[in-house]
Amino acid sequence: MGDMDLQNKAVLGFGVVSNNRTLCRKRLEAALKEIEAHYEVEILEYHWIEA
């Protein structure tokens, strides 16, 4: 994971497994919204990896 030596910056990873791609994306988007709503953070970027 990148940026491990920087203060005030974290790299997080989330995963969802399902046979429904739309449901997975909705769950991950809900997690991002929940984090932004309840914590004083700024999400700089995110990446979707679909297999």
Side-chain angles (χ1 to χ4, degrees), residues 2-31:
D3 298 331
M4 296 297 284
D5 56 340
L6 297 178
Q7 291 182 348
N8 298 322
K9 188 171 183 180
V11 177
L12 302 175
F14 296 93
V16 177
V17 177
S18 173
N19 62 351
N20 186 328
R21 185 174 288 181
T22 303
L23 178 63
C24 288
R25 186 171 280 263
K26 286 182 181 180
R27 297 286 186 196
L28 290 171
E29 288 173 350

Side-chain angles (χ1 to χ4, degrees), residues 28-38 43:
L28 290 171
E29 288 173 350
L32 288 173
K33 288 179 185 176
E34 188 78 16
I35 291 168
E36 288 182 316
H38 290 89
I43 297 176

